[in-house]
């Protein structure tokens, strides 16, 4: 985690405005710190949630396991302990193994990736480092994914770069019961 305390405090239930309650109510009883923080700017939170819901929905044509490879790689590259922690559990639910999640830290150079997974990792690295997917990596992606899925790789990487910047800069802390990956301590 980059910060040990929030710069923007998450809103507690007793302090929610009507606009904030409206945004958080559909989330049920366990509202994550990211959303409690985002509702400090209700209009921004609404827009953020609309786009974020697309990226995490079935409207995103990238299969969930592959989507999580991109999200986890971006979260790791951005040194976002909160993002990594949340999506580590999601990645496991979506079919990644613990060993694969650990290998995401190494990126495309880690052994045992399929060519499709390697292309996703390379695209994530390129988008993070240069905000551009090279011709060679794009060609590798198109061997395994449709044009729409390739677009969704870029949309997903962009969304989770933004999420990581929000989490890191606002100091969003882990939710109760979560443990920070030791490789993301001290950033």
């Amino acid at each position: 985690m980059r910060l040990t305390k929030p710069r923007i405090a998450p809103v507690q239930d007793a302090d929610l405005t009507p606009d904030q309650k409206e945004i958080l109510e559909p989330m049920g009883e366990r509202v994550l710190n990211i959303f409690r923080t985002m509702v400090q700017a209700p209009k921004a939170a609404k827009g953020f949630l609309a786009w974020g819901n697309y990226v995490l929905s079935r409207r995103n044509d990238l299969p969930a396991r592959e989507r999580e490879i991109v999200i986890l790689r971006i979260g790791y590259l951005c040194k976002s302990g909160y993002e990594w922690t949340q999506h580590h559990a999601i990645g496991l639910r979506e079919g990644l193994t613990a060993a694969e999640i650990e290998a995401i830290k190494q990126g495309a150079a880690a052994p045992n990736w399929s060519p499709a997974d390697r292309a996703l990792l390379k695209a994530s690295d390129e988008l993070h480092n240069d905000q551009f997917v090279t011709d060679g990596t794009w060609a590798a992606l198109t061997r395994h994914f449709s044009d729409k899925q390739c677009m969704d790789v870029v949309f997903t990487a962009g969304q989770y770069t933004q999420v990581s910047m929000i989490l890191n800069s606002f100091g969003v802390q882990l939710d109760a019961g979560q443990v920070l990956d030791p490789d993301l301590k001290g950033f």
Side-chain angles (χ1 to χ4, degrees):
M1 300 288 291
R2 303 257 183 129
L3 298 171
T4 58
K5 63 182 183 180
R7 286 179 174 159
I8 306 293
V11 180
Q12 299 307 306
D13 289 343
D15 300 323
L16 291 170
T17 67
D19 284 346
Q20 293 168 332
K21 284 180 187 176
E22 178 186 333
I23 294 166
L24 297 180
E25 190 173 62
M27 296 179 191
E29 292 182 26
R30 186 171 183 262
V31 179
L32 300 175
N33 284 337
I34 183 176
F35 303 121
R36 289 184 178 279
T37 302
M38 288 293 298
V39 296
Q40 292 282 22
K43 290 177 184 175
K46 283 183 181 181
F48 171 85
L49 287 169
W51 180 243
N53 286 338
Y54 165 80
V55 171
L56 288 176
S57 75
R58 293 184 198 276
R59 294 173 289 162
N60 179 337
D61 287 348
L62 199 59
R65 178 189 170 278
E66 286 72 13
R67 180 195 69 219
E68 291 303 315
I69 289 172
V70 174
I71 292 170
L72 283 162
R73 184 63 179 160
I74 291 295
Y76 188 76
L77 292 171
C78 291
K79 300 176 185 91
S80 180
Y82 187 97
E83 189 55 48
W84 179 267
T85 302
Q86 291 294 346
H87 281 270
H88 186 282
I90 296 168
L92 290 170
R93 282 196 309 269
E94 297 298 353
L96 288 168
T97 67
E100 287 173 322
I101 292 173
E102 195 61 27
I104 287 170
K105 294 175 185 178
Q106 296 174 48
N112 302 322
W113 288 119
S114 71
D117 291 346
R118 192 174 314 286
L120 292 169
L121 290 161
K122 287 180 89 171
S124 298
D125 285 6
E126 290 175 4
L127 287 164
H128 175 77
N129 293 324
D130 193 35
Q131 298 73 53
F132 176 75
V133 178
T134 63
D135 288 344
T137 300
W138 191 264
L141 284 172
T142 61
R143 282 193 285 279
H144 307 285
F145 302 102
S146 70
D147 283 350
K148 171 65 168 53
Q149 289 172 319
C150 291
M151 292 175 71
D152 283 333
V153 168
V154 177
F155 294 154
T156 301
Q159 165 67 2
Y160 280 89
T161 297
Q162 177 186 23
V163 170
S164 293
M165 291 188 321
I166 289 166
L167 294 166
N168 289 344
S169 296
F170 296 171
V172 177
Q173 300 298 297
L174 296 180
D175 292 288
Q178 294 182 321
V179 177
L180 182 64
D181 184 297
D183 290 337
L184 289 167
K185 287 185 179 178
F187 287 107

